[in-house]
């Protein structure tokens, strides 16, 4: 029994001596293999926000490695790697060390809803570490109200009507249903739409709408703003349209006639009573 114990003790001492003489080999065995991992590999978001993954890179190779980052993203996607708040394309990592890496994936503006697999790679002379990430694009509702030319101003004569051509575009990734057209016009003004409601508008499609703006008589010349709005329960967009009101030609001549008549009356009174 005593001899067996002494044998085990001697064997342990030999192992410890080897570990002290060859620390690199022992550390490599203890540290294990290099790894590129992430706690969350599936993230869901809309197109307005990037997909942010928190990953960890571990160097278990037994020597310092220079890693280069790559993303095998679908066409139109963009990948950014960050560490300690700075954007990087690679880094040097000592043996046995772990570095936190932030991976940001951005989808193209017109990406359709669905799941997209994006493998990311940490490549070095001794390792090719692959991490499989998955970005789930959620559908989004968005609408844009404008004009065919983008111009949001015009001129009109008091007491008349002006036809304004508007465009309603679905800039989201999901269909828009029940879009209502409304307006907020100056006092005593009125506006109507044709059509006043869009039942369904597919993603990327545009619907033209005609707005009829009525300006009452005796409106003072100047600039006035009418706000047009397209909205439903999921999205809305407004366009501020500036209208410059001008006095009608008839009103101008009537004004001149009144001034001339007034001047004639004053002149007559001066001639008649000025001699007394």
């Amino acid at each position: 029994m005593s001899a067996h114990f002494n044998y085990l003790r001697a064997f342990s001492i030999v192992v410890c001596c080897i570990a002290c003489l060859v620390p690199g080999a022992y550390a490599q065995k203890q540290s294990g293999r290099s790894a590129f991992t992430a706690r969350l590999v599936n993230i869901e978001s809309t197109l307005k926000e990037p997909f942010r993954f928190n990953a960890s890179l571990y160097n278990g190779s037994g020597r310092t490695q220079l890693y280069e980052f790559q993303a095998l993203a679908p066409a139109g996607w963009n990948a950014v790697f960050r560490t300690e708040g700075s954007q990087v394309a690679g880094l040097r990592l000592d043996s046995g060390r772990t570095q936190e890496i932030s991976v940001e994936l951005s989808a193209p503006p017109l990406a359709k809803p669905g799941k997209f697999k994006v493998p990311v790679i940490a490549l070095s002379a001794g390792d090719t570490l692959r991490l499989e990430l998955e970005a789930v694009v959620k559908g989004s509702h968005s609408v844009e109200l404008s004009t065919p030319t983008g111009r949001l101003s015009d001129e009109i004569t008091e007491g008349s009507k002006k036809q304004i051509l508007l465009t309603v575009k679905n800039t989201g990734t999901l269909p828009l249903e029940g879009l209502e057209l409304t307006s907020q016009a100056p006092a005593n003004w009125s506006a109507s739409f044709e059509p006043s409601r869009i039942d369904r508008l597919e993603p990327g499609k545009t619907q033209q709408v005609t707005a009829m703006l009525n300006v009452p008589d005796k409106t003072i010349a100047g600039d006035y703003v009418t706000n047009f709005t397209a909205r439903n329960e999921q999205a809305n967009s407004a366009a501020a349209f500036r209208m410059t009101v001008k006095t009608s030609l008839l009103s101008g001549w009537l004004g001149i006639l009144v001034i001339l008549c007034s001047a004639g009356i004053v002149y007559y009174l001066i001639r008649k009573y000025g001699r007394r």
Side-chain angles (χ1 to χ4, degrees), residues 19-33:
C20 293
L21 293 174
V22 195
Y26 187 73
Q28 182 177 356
K29 183 178 180 181
Q30 287 293 98
S31 61
R33 301 177 59 185

Side-chain angles (χ1 to χ4, degrees), residues 4 130 196:
H4 181 68
R130 184 184 179 100
S196 60

Side-chain angles (χ1 to χ4, degrees), residues 207-252:
Q207 171 76 52
Q208 290 191 343
V209 175
T210 300
M212 185 65 71
L213 193 62
N214 299 286
V215 179
D217 292 328
K218 299 181 181 179
T219 299
I220 300 174
D223 291 340
Y224 297 82
V225 175
T226 299
N227 291 308
F228 298 118
T229 303
R231 73 170 71 235
N232 67 0
E233 294 182 355
Q234 292 83 27
N236 70 84
S237 178
F241 200 95
R242 180 174 57 84
M243 190 67 74
T244 300
V245 176
K246 294 185 175 182
T247 304
S248 66
L249 185 62
L250 178 60
S251 298

Side-chain angles (χ1 to χ4, degrees), residues 113-151:
K115 295 181 180 180
F116 297 85
K117 293 186 180 297
V118 183
V120 293
I121 297 174
L123 182 65
S124 71
D127 288 319
T128 300
L129 307 176
R130 184 184 179 100
L131 174 61
E132 297 286 344
L133 301 178
E134 187 175 67
V136 181
V137 177
K138 294 171 58 178
S140 61
H141 295 93
S142 182
V143 64
E144 180 183 78
L145 179 63
S146 186
T147 63
T149 62
R151 182 183 175 186

